[in-house]
CSV table of all heavy atoms in Angstrom, one decimal:
chain,number,residue,atom,x,y,z
P,182,TYR,N,90.1,109.7,113.8
P,182,TYR,CA,89.6,111.0,113.3
P,182,TYR,C,90.7,111.8,112.7
P,182,TYR,O,90.5,112.9,112.2
P,182,TYR,CB,89.0,111.8,114.5
P,182,TYR,CG,87.9,111.0,115.2
P,182,TYR,CD1,88.1,110.6,116.5
P,182,TYR,CD2,86.7,110.7,114.5
P,182,TYR,CE1,87.1,109.9,117.1
P,182,TYR,CE2,85.7,110.0,115.2
P,182,TYR,CZ,85.9,109.6,116.5
P,182,TYR,OH,84.9,108.9,117.1
P,183,LYS,N,92.0,111.4,112.7
P,183,LYS,CA,93.1,112.1,112.1
P,183,LYS,C,93.3,111.8,110.7
P,183,LYS,O,93.1,110.7,110.2
P,183,LYS,CB,94.4,111.9,112.9
P,183,LYS,CG,94.2,112.2,114.4
P,183,LYS,CD,94.2,113.7,114.6
P,183,LYS,CE,95.5,114.4,114.5
P,183,LYS,NZ,95.5,115.8,114.8
P,184,GLU,N,93.9,112.8,110.0
P,184,GLU,CA,94.3,112.6,108.6
P,184,GLU,C,95.4,111.5,108.5
P,184,GLU,O,96.2,111.4,109.4
P,184,GLU,CB,94.9,113.9,108.0
P,184,GLU,CG,93.8,114.9,107.6
P,184,GLU,CD,93.2,114.6,106.3
P,184,GLU,OE1,93.6,113.7,105.6
P,184,GLU,OE2,92.2,115.3,106.0
P,185,ILE,N,95.3,110.7,107.5
P,185,ILE,CA,96.3,109.7,107.2
P,185,ILE,C,97.6,110.3,106.9
P,185,ILE,O,97.7,111.3,106.1
P,185,ILE,CB,95.9,108.7,106.1
P,185,ILE,CG1,94.7,107.8,106.6
P,185,ILE,CG2,97.0,107.9,105.6
P,185,ILE,CD1,94.1,106.9,105.6
P,186,GLU,N,98.7,109.9,107.5
P,186,GLU,CA,100.0,110.5,107.2
P,186,GLU,C,100.9,109.5,106.5
P,186,GLU,O,100.6,108.2,106.5
P,186,GLU,CB,100.7,110.8,108.5
P,186,GLU,CG,99.9,111.9,109.3
P,186,GLU,CD,100.5,112.2,110.7
P,186,GLU,OE1,101.5,111.5,111.1
P,186,GLU,OE2,100.1,113.2,111.3
P,187,ASN,N,102.0,110.0,105.9
P,187,ASN,CA,102.9,109.1,105.2
P,187,ASN,C,103.7,108.3,106.3
P,187,ASN,O,104.1,108.8,107.3
P,187,ASN,CB,103.9,109.9,104.4
P,187,ASN,CG,103.3,110.6,103.2
P,187,ASN,OD1,102.2,110.3,102.8
P,187,ASN,ND2,104.0,111.5,102.6
P,188,ASN,N,103.9,107.0,105.9
P,188,ASN,CA,104.7,106.2,106.8
P,188,ASN,C,105.8,105.4,106.1
P,188,ASN,O,105.7,105.1,104.9
P,188,ASN,CB,103.8,105.1,107.5
P,188,ASN,CG,102.8,105.7,108.5
P,188,ASN,OD1,103.3,106.4,109.5
P,188,ASN,ND2,101.5,105.5,108.4
P,189,ILE,N,106.9,105.2,106.8
P,189,ILE,CA,107.9,104.4,106.3
P,189,ILE,C,108.4,103.4,107.4
P,189,ILE,O,108.5,103.8,108.6
P,189,ILE,CB,109.1,105.2,105.8
P,189,ILE,CG1,110.2,104.4,105.1
P,189,ILE,CG2,109.6,106.1,106.8
P,189,ILE,CD1,111.2,105.2,104.3
P,190,PHE,N,108.7,102.2,107.1
P,190,PHE,CA,109.1,101.2,108.1
P,190,PHE,C,110.6,100.7,107.8
P,190,PHE,O,110.9,100.3,106.7
P,190,PHE,CB,108.2,100.0,108.0
P,190,PHE,CG,106.8,100.3,108.3
P,190,PHE,CD1,105.9,100.7,107.2
P,190,PHE,CD2,106.2,100.3,109.5
P,190,PHE,CE1,104.6,101.1,107.4
P,190,PHE,CE2,104.9,100.6,109.8
P,190,PHE,CZ,104.1,101.0,108.7
P,191,LEU,N,111.4,100.8,108.8
P,191,LEU,CA,112.8,100.4,108.7
P,191,LEU,C,112.9,99.1,109.6
P,191,LEU,O,112.3,99.0,110.7
P,191,LEU,CB,113.8,101.4,109.2
P,191,LEU,CG,114.1,102.6,108.3
P,191,LEU,CD1,112.9,103.5,108.1
P,191,LEU,CD2,115.3,103.4,108.8
P,192,GLN,N,113.7,98.2,109.1
P,192,GLN,CA,113.9,96.9,109.8
P,192,GLN,C,114.9,97.1,110.9
P,192,GLN,O,116.0,97.6,110.7
P,192,GLN,CB,114.5,95.9,108.8
P,192,GLN,CG,114.5,94.5,109.4
P,192,GLN,CD,114.9,93.4,108.4
P,192,GLN,OE1,115.6,93.8,107.4
P,192,GLN,NE2,114.6,92.2,108.6
P,193,SER,N,114.5,96.8,112.1
P,193,SER,CA,115.4,96.9,113.3
P,193,SER,C,116.5,95.9,113.2
P,193,SER,O,116.4,94.8,112.7
P,193,SER,CB,114.6,96.7,114.6
P,193,SER,OG,114.0,95.5,114.6
P,194,ASP,N,117.7,96.4,113.6
P,194,ASP,CA,118.9,95.5,113.6
P,194,ASP,C,119.4,95.3,115.0
P,194,ASP,O,118.7,95.7,116.0
P,194,ASP,CB,120.0,96.1,112.7
P,194,ASP,CG,120.3,97.5,113.0
P,194,ASP,OD1,120.1,97.9,114.2
P,194,ASP,OD2,120.8,98.2,112.1
Side-chain angles (χ1 to χ4, degrees):
Y182 306 111
K183 300 289 285 185
E184 283 282 351
I185 288 175
E186 300 178 349
N187 292 347
N188 288 306
I189 184 169
F190 301 87
L191 282 71
Q192 188 176 26
S193 57
D194 54 26

